[in-house]
Amino acid sequence: MKLVLKLFENKAQDGNGGLMQAKARDFYVAFESAIPHLYLLPKIHKPPNEITGTWQGRPVLSGCQAPTTPVDWICIALLIPLLRLLPERLKDTTDYLNKIASVRNPVPSGACFFSLDVVTLYPSIPQREAAKVVATFFDENKHKITQQLREAGVWRPPHRQLLEESILHVMRDTLLQFDGKAYRQTKGTVIGASSSLAIADIFMHVVFERERSHREDAPAEYERYIDDIFGVMVGGLPPL
């Protein structure tokens, strides 16, 4: 709860604070937590293991009462408004079809349509780098989402270091139970945390845009649904 109080005070260089109202602070401080249990959902769309005859399992963690949940809720309120600032982001299939239909420039002859995805995105995201990248992106763009933050109950956005600390707390300090033993997730975004999707989406945007902006052979069209990427390359695909 120390971090919740720190976010509430939200001390900036000018000495002012007030990320949230006292009523919201009291709600988060009174939150009753419990270490969540990890369980597996079978991947029935994939073939069973040849030796055991059982399906692969997808790890699931109900983080509704995790000790990090109050800070996770605050993080998601801060990050969700940023998603509308990601121009390549797709909401669903309909959104993709609408964007493709709105392309006015005709596709040149010989252009290549491509698709790709990131293997095991969520477990592969480096925690400290992601916290820094996402907090920096928020700090650089918070002036564009002032109204959305107010509607979410955020009266004064946190400074970059405080948000980075909060994101890292959620990613690094989430505990879980499995087979009677307690564990802490040390890699990737957190299973069951509300902010994990937004963190992954913003991290992907920053990393890919940082690379694309320096390439002369960048795609003419580029759309992304989290880690599934679609686009058009003019003049063929670059050599590997």
Side-chain angles (χ1 to χ4, degrees), residues 86-144:
L86 313 183
E88 82 286 1
R89 179 177 179 266
L90 295 170
K91 298 177 183 178
D92 49 33
T93 303
T94 301
D95 188 28
Y96 174 64
L97 294 175
N98 289 336
K99 286 187 176 182
I100 290 296
S102 65
V103 174
R104 296 181 179 179
N105 297 327
V107 177
S109 176
C112 296
F113 175 83
F114 70 89
S115 65
L116 58 95
D117 70 344
V118 179
V119 178
T120 59
L121 170 66
Y122 292 100
S124 302
I125 292 178
Q127 294 179 340
R128 187 168 295 278
E129 181 183 355
K132 183 176 182 178
V133 164
V134 174
T136 300
F137 186 79
F138 176 86
D139 195 58
E140 293 173 347
N141 293 278
K142 60 187 177 184
H143 64 282
K144 301 177 183 178

Side-chain angles (χ1 to χ4, degrees), residues 183-199:
Y183 299 87
R184 186 177 72 177
Q185 186 173 336
T186 58
K187 294 177 59 180
T189 56
V190 179
I191 303 171
S194 300
S195 58
S196 290
L197 174 59
I199 291 170

